[in-house]
C-alpha cells in the first residue's frame, strides 16, 4: 500500500503529494515543522507538538490556514489512514509559493503537510552501551539572529554541526552557544547528572525547548530527583557523573564519552537508566 500524505486537506498517494518549486519553504527554508512519535497508534504528546508548531509559525509571522483542532484531526487521520502502529509523524507548514524574493507579502497558499511513516532509530547497542559524541566547532545560532525556540525549516546550523559529528564517527554532536556555554545537540537536548542532581541548560541558553526534555524533567521531579535548569559549560559536562540526550527520535539515550573523555564509569548511569525506563512507560501510556 502506498504511503498517503495529507496535503492541504487531502490525503494523496505520496507520489502526488508535491509542492511548487517557487515555495519559499524550498527557496528560503521559510516554514516550520514538528517531528512526533506514534506509540501503539497513539500520537505522543500531540497537543504539545501542535502548540509548538503554532508558536513557531507565529514567531515567523506565518499564518497556518487551519485551526489547531483541525491540525490535530489531520494528524490522527493520516496516522490511521497509513495503519501506523509505532512510527513517526512529520508536520510541515511552508510559507507557500511566491515571487523570487524574500517578501512574504508576495507569497500565497501556505502548504500544510502531514507525513506518517516509520522512523529510523539509533541502534539498540547505543542504548545499552551508551554513545560517544564530540563538541562541534559550529556554535548554535545566536538567539538574536534566529531563536532556537523556533523549529524552522532552516536546519543548516544543526546540519553543519552534525557533519562534524559524523566525520568524527559520532551520531550526535554537542553545540555550544555564542557565549561558549552548553546549549544542545543537533537534534537532541542534553542533560547531566552530578551528585544526584539532574541539570540541563535553560531556554535562555538558546535551545529548542524539547518536548521530550520537558517530559523527562517532569518524570524526574515525580521520581524525587532534583532538577535544575542552569548555565553549564563544557567543564561541567566533562566532570559529570552521567550524561544523556533526549529527543523525539532518540527518547532517552545515554552518552558515555565526549571529546574522547570518559563520562563517569564509562557505562550508562543509574539515574539515566531509571529515567529511560520511566520515559518508555510514560510513552506507552503505562504511567
Ligand atoms: N533540539 C533540536 C535542535 C531538535 O531539532 C530536539 C532538541 C528535541 O526536541 P523534542 O521536542 O523532539 O524532544 C530537537 C528535535 C528529525 C527529527 O527527523 C528531529 C527532531 C525531532 C524529531 C525528528 O531529524 N529534533
Amino acid at each position: 500500500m502506498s504511503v498517503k500524505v495529507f496535503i492541504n486537506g487531502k490525503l494523496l498517494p505520496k507520489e502526488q503529494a508535491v509542492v511548487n518549486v517557487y515555495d519559499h519553504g524550498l527557496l528560503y527554508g521559510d516554514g516550520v515543522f514538528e517531528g512526533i512519535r506514534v506509540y501503539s497508534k497513539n500520537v505522543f504528546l500531540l497537543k504539545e507538538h501542535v502548540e509548538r508548531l503554532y508558536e513557531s509559525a507565529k514567531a515567523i509571522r506565518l499564518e497556518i490556514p487551519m485551526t489547531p483542532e483541525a491540525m490535530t484531526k489531520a494528524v490522527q487521520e493520516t496516522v490511521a489512514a497509513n495503519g501506523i502502529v509505532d512510527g513517526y509523524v512529520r508536520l510541515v507548514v511552508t510559507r507557500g509559493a511566491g515571487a523570487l524574493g524574500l517578501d512574504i507579502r508576495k507569497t500565497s497558499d501556505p502548504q500544510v503537510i502531514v507525513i506518517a511513516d516509520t522512523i529510523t532509530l539509533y541502534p539498540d547497542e547505543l542504548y545499552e552501551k551508551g554513545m560517544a559524541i564530540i563538541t562541534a566547532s559550529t556554535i548554535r545560532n545566536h538567539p538574536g539572529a534566529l531563536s532556537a525556540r523556533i523549529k524552522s525549516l532552516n536546519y543548516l546550523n544543526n546540519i553543519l554541526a552534525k557533519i562534524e559529528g559524523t566525520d568524527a564517527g559520532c551520531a550526535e554532536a554537542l553545540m555550544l552557544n555564542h557565549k561558549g556555554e552548553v546549549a544542545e545537540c543537533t537534534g537532541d537536548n542534553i542533560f547531566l547528572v552530578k551528585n544526584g542532581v539532574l541539570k540541563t541548560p535553560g531556554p535562555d541558553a538558546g535551545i529548542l525547548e524539547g518536548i521530550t526534555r520537558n517530559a523527562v524533567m517532569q518524570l524526574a521531579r515525580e521520581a524525587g530527583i532534583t532538577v535544575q535548569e542552569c548555565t553549564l559549560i563544557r567543564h561541567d559536562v566533562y566532570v559529570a557523573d552521567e550524561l544523556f540526550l533526549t529527543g523525539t527520535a532518540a527518547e532517552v539515550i545515554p552518552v558515555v564519552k565526549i571529546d574522547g573523555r570518559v563520562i563517569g564509569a564509562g557505562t550508562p548511569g543509574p539515574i539515566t537508566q531509571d529515567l529511560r525506563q520511566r520515559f518508555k512507560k510514560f510513552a506507552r501510556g503505562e504511567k
Side-chain angles (χ1 to χ4, degrees), residues 141-243:
N141 278 331
H142 191 299
L146 178 65
S147 172
R149 291 168 76 175
I150 302 169
K151 202 161 166 64
S152 86
L153 291 184
N154 195 319
Y155 252 56
L156 270 179
N157 181 221
N158 309 58
I159 290 167
L160 293 179
K162 176 98 175 181
I163 291 169
E164 291 186 55
T166 52
D167 279 353
C170 298
E172 254 297 10
L174 172 64
M175 300 181 79
L176 307 177
N177 66 17
H178 62 288
K179 293 188 271 187
E181 300 159 356
V182 171
E184 62 181 334
C185 290
T186 68
D188 296 298
N189 291 111
I190 189 161
F191 285 83
L192 64 81
V193 178
K194 185 70 178 174
N195 299 327
V197 177
L198 186 62
K199 300 184 184 193
T200 193
D204 57 352
I207 60 164
L208 182 78
E209 282 183 81
I211 287 166
T212 319
R213 171 186 180 274
N214 290 344
V216 166
M217 287 198 294
Q218 178 73 25
L219 290 170
R221 288 194 182 104
E222 285 167 14
I225 299 166
T226 305
V227 182
Q228 289 175 358
E229 289 180 87
C230 54
T231 301
L232 295 170
I233 58 170
R234 252 201 297 181
H235 178 79
D236 299 310
V237 173
Y238 290 160
V239 301
D241 300 326
E242 299 182 34
L243 195 60

